[in-house]
Amino acid sequence: QALQDGTTANRALAVTVALSFLLLLAAALLVFQISREAAGAEAAVVHTLSVKQASSDLLSMLSTAESGQRGFLITRDERLLAPLHALRRDLDEKLGELQGLVSDNPAQGARLEELTPMIIERLGAIQQTLSLTEAGRQSEAARVVVERGAPLMEQVRRRFAQFQAAEDQLLLARQQHAAAISQQFLRAVTAMLVAWRILAGFALISV
């Protein structure tokens, strides 16, 4: 009878250990899967921040070029046009970078397509004022600044604001998703540790 009881106990212990091991394995697989999802969620957040930064950089370049143009019209200091020359040189590259970043977001891609010709037109207005100034037609240049340049820049800023607002909403959603996955990861790790403790406990009992 004692031998039979011992055999039954050993079987029960073996089953318990096996189940604990399977629980530990399942928890480990869950941790691995969630860690991959967490990495993807964090990458999405970083990507959105990159879009926001590229958009802000482009608007900043355009605003600086506009300020340089206004300063030049007052002082005739050619050095103030350096930001404008830099923008002309780098515009295609900056737009291409931003287009690449939003290639996964059709709505933002459409906003950028609408924004691009506005930027080009704004640069055209700046060039018009410079050409008029070189021709000695300062009053006409000043009128272009007020009647064409300023309204165009206001439109550009509104479009950039809409673009950034969409990215802000996307960033919030992705941050919340990343936070939720982080919580899942912590719960999975806790479950794995509990399974490990159960397994270790029964291993000690069996010794």
Side-chain angles (χ1 to χ4, degrees):
Q1 180 67 33
L3 179 62
Q4 183 177 1
D5 290 344
T7 301
T8 301
N10 288 337
R11 287 177 179 174
L13 178 61
V15 170
T16 303
V17 170
L19 289 176
S20 299
F21 177 78
L22 291 175
L23 177 61
L24 177 62
L25 179 61
L29 292 174
L30 180 61
V31 168
F32 175 73
Q33 178 62 31
I34 293 177
S35 66
R36 290 184 60 185
E37 293 180 6
E42 290 296 333
V45 170
V46 171
H47 178 80
T48 304
L49 291 173
S50 296
V51 174
K52 285 173 60 63
Q53 185 62 54
S55 173
S56 296
D57 289 346
L58 183 55
L59 178 58
S60 177
M61 291 180 69
L62 184 57
S63 298
T64 304
E66 181 187 49
S67 297
Q69 168 225 15
R70 292 177 181 274
F72 171 78
L73 294 178
I74 297 171
T75 65
R76 302 297 190 273
D77 186 348
E78 293 281 348
R79 292 174 297 181
L80 296 175
L81 296 179
L84 175 61
H85 299 325
L87 178 58
R88 285 173 173 166
R89 181 188 66 239
D90 299 335
L91 180 60
D92 288 343
E93 178 184 347
K94 294 296 183 181
L95 285 173
E97 176 188 356
L98 196 51
Q99 287 168 349
L101 287 170
V102 300
S103 60
D104 62 334
N105 189 330
Q108 287 293 75
R111 290 188 181 95
L112 185 57
E113 287 182 3
E114 294 175 354
L115 182 57
T116 298
M118 293 181 180
I119 295 174
I120 295 173
E121 186 177 359
R122 181 67 189 98
L123 288 178
I126 291 176
Q127 182 56 50
Q128 184 182 12
T129 63
L130 298 180
S131 299
L132 289 170
T133 299
E134 290 175 359
R137 299 157 63 183
Q138 286 84 358
S139 60
E140 293 180 48
R143 188 163 57 250
V144 170
V145 169
V146 174
E147 296 179 358
R148 185 184 177 202
L152 274 173
M153 193 62 187
E154 182 61 27
Q155 291 179 30
V156 169
R157 290 184 187 280
R158 281 201 302 267
R159 294 289 180 155
F160 268 108
Q162 293 170 0
F163 187 93
Q164 286 280 24
E167 287 299 321
D168 288 339
Q169 292 179 352
L170 185 59
L171 177 62
L172 178 60
R174 287 178 170 176
Q175 287 175 330
Q176 291 174 340
H177 179 59
I181 291 179
S182 295
Q183 290 298 318
Q184 291 176 8
F185 179 79
L186 291 176
R187 287 193 291 268
V189 169
T190 300
M192 185 177 69
L193 292 175
V194 170
W196 177 81
R197 291 188 64 180
I198 293 173
L199 181 59
F202 280 112
L204 290 174
I205 293 174
S206 63
V207 174

